[in-house]
Amino acid sequence: MKHVIAFLLLLLASNFLQAQDGGRIILRLNTGVEVKSKPLCNRSGIGQEDVDQVSKSNGAISSKRISGKRSETPKVYVIQFPEGTDLAPILQAYRALPVVANAEHDAMGGGGGQRSFVPNDPEYFRQWGLKNDGTFSLHPATAGADIDMENAWDIEQGSDNVTVAIIDSGARLQHPDFAGRIWTNTAEIPGNGIDDDGNGYIDDVTGWDFANNDNDPTDDQGHGTNVASIVGAVGNNEIGFAGVDMNCKLMILKALNSSNQGWYSWWVEAMYYAVDNGANVINMSLGGTDPFAEMQTAVDHALQNNVLVVACMMNTNASTPFIPAALNGVLSVGATSPDDSRAVPFNWSSSSGSNYGSHIDVVAPGDYVYGLHFNSDAVFTSFWSGTSQATPHVAALASLLIAQDPTSTPGEVADIIRNTAEDQVGDPLEDLPGWDQYYGHGRINAFLALGGSVGIERAAAPTFSLYPNPTTGVLNLTLNEPSFISLIDGSGRTVLDQRYTAGLHVLDAGTAPGVYLVRVTSEQEHSSMRLVVQ
């Protein structure tokens, strides 16, 4: 079942700062007090009527449970009030409620080191997806609706031994905010007109342009530069933005033309190039609806060579499966807005929106995402919106996890990202407990994924795999403990939900073509995969 893991606050010394009027209250309910789902259109509510009445009458603006959601875990919340609010009478009102075990000022701590890493990049304030204080001006925003990047950077900032391949429209290679970050093929001698390393590409020193079949993957459209900067713009250099991963290498592979379109064959060739030339993660902020078996083969090749593929769900506000996102083994990403809602519509079209369906894994910030400009070193006011922008947040988190543990497999990295995502942060009509077709496992949290949490149980996950002929819709499942197996079709309908004992089982999904989500849930773990029935 889905776990929401409690935060671990690391205090480096004991010199606490005095709490001031206005701000935050920490509240814990008595054992056994029941709460309902967080009320729609009432972000200050926690789902307990008496507490919510006090919060509402005193102008609370938001609330968040910080203790996880297991039945045995204490129910602890932080409730935010406007600055200038006198908290003393509110504390007294909370403490008078029979359902409340404790209520007190939230406080800040400090000490011998910086509590969290804040980069000095001048445009960092625009990157709400990394740090959201609720003041973003272009869209309603909620404080904390971000991937908790500052705390994550305290744990891991990446490694130049990890390479993220960006299969996109290219990048502005010479931008100062990419300095030292562009992957180079050291086995190739620049400009000699010879394929020195024998990989089939002449003078591919800084990647390859598959759209024009040359060795210059410079961006002529803009999309790829924005995506690459989300992954790896140089952080803390007093220039522009901060990438999620501050040290990885960026392998720039141009497979979209100046019209932001590309043949599947370009994408597949770029995937093989990325794998065969040392990439650890492949970011694919692109997609198409036509089936293409060779792209699944390319994904399989990546996974067999320990390379994770991360792809966007696309932006038609529908459950239509796009590939590569809907392929088996791909980590598929939807987009959220600055208030943690599913991004719908995007600013560029009233009919757009983050796609959903049985193949979604997680969501990430993807609306109004600022990044570097493709034809200027001095423009920092351009933004893009789409699941294309959400995906590089996830790909970069994957690269941080690989830097933290280079022995991690793609499946292990993907599982960590899924299992530490924050659940029920968005619209309660869509963001249901556990996995759902709109938010997947939830909005990613880099801090939790990198280990900044307590209570994570690392029990072995149930294992399962496809038979060689996927067109039959048959699964071979080897379970290491009793588990529930659910099969969900593309419309979100559960077509199977049954408990199985430990051991080997054969599951027949039927022959109806489509993309299905297979969920295996034990007492300790929750794993999933996509089943494509052709």
Side-chain angles (χ1 to χ4, degrees):
M1 59 189 67
K2 184 70 187 297
H3 301 320
V4 178
I5 310 300
F7 286 87
L8 173 64
L9 179 60
L10 299 176
L11 299 179
L12 302 178
S14 60
N15 51 324
F16 294 91
L17 303 179
Q18 180 67 36
Q20 300 176 356
D21 285 344
R24 299 146 64 95
I25 286 177
I26 300 292
L27 181 145
R28 174 166 52 87
L29 298 178
N30 279 311
T31 302
V33 173
E34 296 295 326
V35 295
K36 300 178 180 178
S37 297
K38 194 169 183 177
L40 183 63
C41 301
N42 179 12
R43 289 192 172 274
S44 68
I46 68 170
Q48 204 293 317
E49 183 176 359
D50 296 334
V51 171
D52 289 350
Q53 181 59 44
V54 173
S55 301
K56 181 179 180 180
S57 62
N58 286 280
I61 56 178
S62 67
S63 69
K64 180 180 181 181
R65 182 167 176 174
I66 61 172
S67 60
K69 295 187 178 180
R70 297 183 184 180
S71 59
E72 71 274 14
T73 303
K75 296 181 177 70
V76 183
Y77 303 82
V78 59
I79 303 174
Q80 178 81 44
F81 293 86
E83 286 301 320
T85 301
D86 181 2
L87 296 184
I90 304 174
L91 285 167
Q92 185 176 1
Y94 282 139
R95 290 166 180 165
L97 297 175
V99 297
V100 173
N102 183 51
E104 58 188 315
H105 288 274
D106 195 3
M108 298 184 70
Q114 194 173 19
R115 188 174 63 89
S116 58
F117 181 86
V118 182
N120 61 20
D121 304 85
E123 307 301 324
Y124 174 64
F125 75 96
R126 301 183 190 275
Q127 296 180 268
W128 66 266
L130 309 187
K131 171 66 175 180
N132 190 344
D133 62 5
T135 64
F136 188 73
S137 61
L138 300 181
H139 188 283
T142 301
D146 55 49
I147 67 172
D148 204 4
M149 204 63 234
E150 290 182 1
N151 286 321
W153 279 325
D154 270 348
I155 301 172
E156 181 62 62
Q157 296 183 10
S159 167
D160 61 6
N161 291 320
V162 178
T163 298
V164 179
I166 312 292
I167 299 178
D168 215 288
S169 66
R172 185 172 178 82
L173 304 176
Q174 76 274 27
H175 199 293
D177 222 8
F178 284 142
R181 302 297 299 283
I182 303 299
W183 172 86
T184 57
N185 184 357
T186 58
E188 196 74 19
I189 299 173
N192 68 354
I194 299 173
D195 180 13
D196 299 287
D197 59 359
N199 70 351
Y201 302 89
I202 296 173
D203 291 339
D204 56 321
V205 178
T206 55
W208 195 257
D209 178 353
F210 298 91
N212 298 293
N213 196 32
D214 61 44
N215 60 10
D216 182 12
T218 296
D219 192 358
D220 55 6
Q221 199 272 338
H223 188 269
T225 299
N226 175 274
V227 167
S229 64
I230 296 167
V231 173
V234 180
N236 214 41
N237 66 342
E238 299 183 338
I239 300 173
F241 301 98
V244 171
D245 188 318
M246 294 192 178
N247 289 290
C248 71
K249 293 297 185 181
L250 304 172
M251 181 185 288
I252 306 302
L253 304 176
K254 181 173 172 58
L256 293 173
N257 60 23
S258 59
S259 299
N260 210 31
Q261 295 179 316
W263 291 103
Y264 282 3
S265 57
W266 298 349
W267 303 358
V268 168
E269 187 177 3
M271 294 168 73
Y272 281 114
Y273 182 100
V275 174
D276 297 344
N277 287 276
N280 302 95
V281 180
I282 296 174
N283 186 97
M284 301 186 74
S285 292
L286 39 73
T289 56
D290 292 306
F292 198 67
E294 285 308 312
M295 203 176 303
Q296 180 67 67
T297 303
V299 170
D300 294 342
H301 176 71
L303 295 174
Q304 290 161 8
N305 286 274
N306 218 33
V307 181
L308 177 65
V309 181
V310 187
C312 67
M313 290 286 293
M314 294 296 284
N315 310 312
T316 62
N317 192 26
S319 61
T320 305
F322 281 75
I323 62 170
L327 298 176
N328 287 323
V330 174
L331 187 63
S332 304
V333 185
T336 56
S337 292
D339 60 355
D340 256 341
S341 61
R342 181 170 66 93
V344 54
F346 295 110
N347 60 285
W348 42 267
S349 170
S350 61
S351 62
S352 66
S354 178
N355 278 12
Y356 50 91
S358 62
H359 57 293
I360 190 170
D361 286 300
V362 292
V363 292
D367 207 4
Y368 298 96
V369 180
Y370 285 84
L372 301 179
H373 200 277
F374 77 108
N375 61 12
S376 172
D377 293 341
V379 174
F380 299 104
T381 55
S382 66
F383 60 79
W384 289 70
S385 297
T387 57
S388 286
Q389 281 57 56
T391 301
H393 286 89
V394 179
L397 174 55
S399 68
L400 290 175
L401 286 163
I402 294 168
Q404 186 181 55
D405 182 3
T407 68
S408 299
T409 66
E412 290 169 342
V413 170
D415 279 345
I416 290 172
I417 292 173
R418 295 184 192 105
N419 293 338
T420 57
E422 290 191 73
D423 190 23
Q424 294 185 272
V425 295
D427 182 348
L429 295 179
E430 292 187 343
D431 195 0
L432 305 176
W435 181 92
D436 60 74
Q437 66 169 336
Y438 296 101
Y439 289 77
H441 295 274
R443 193 246 306 123
I444 65 166
N445 185 300
F447 175 60
L448 295 180
L450 289 162
S453 57
V454 294
I456 295 179
E457 297 184 13
R458 298 292 186 186
T463 57
F464 47 100
S465 59
L466 279 170
Y467 265 98
N469 182 9
T471 60
T472 63
V474 174
L475 286 173
N476 174 26
L477 299 106
T478 303
L479 304 176
N480 60 2
E481 57 184 317
S483 304
F484 280 91
I485 299 172
S486 302
L487 188 69
I488 302 167
D489 66 16
S491 67
R493 183 174 63 94
T494 299
V495 296
L496 174 73
D497 190 14
Q498 185 173 335
R499 187 179 186 276
Y500 289 80
T501 60
L504 176 65
H505 299 277
V506 176
L507 173 64
D508 188 350
T511 57
V515 180
Y516 296 84
L517 178 78
V518 182
R519 301 174 64 192
V520 181
T521 306
S522 70
E523 183 177 350
Q524 300 290 341
E525 288 289 327
H526 177 155
S527 298
S528 62
M529 71 172 294
R530 280 173 297 282
L531 170 63
V532 179
V533 179
Q534 300 172 347

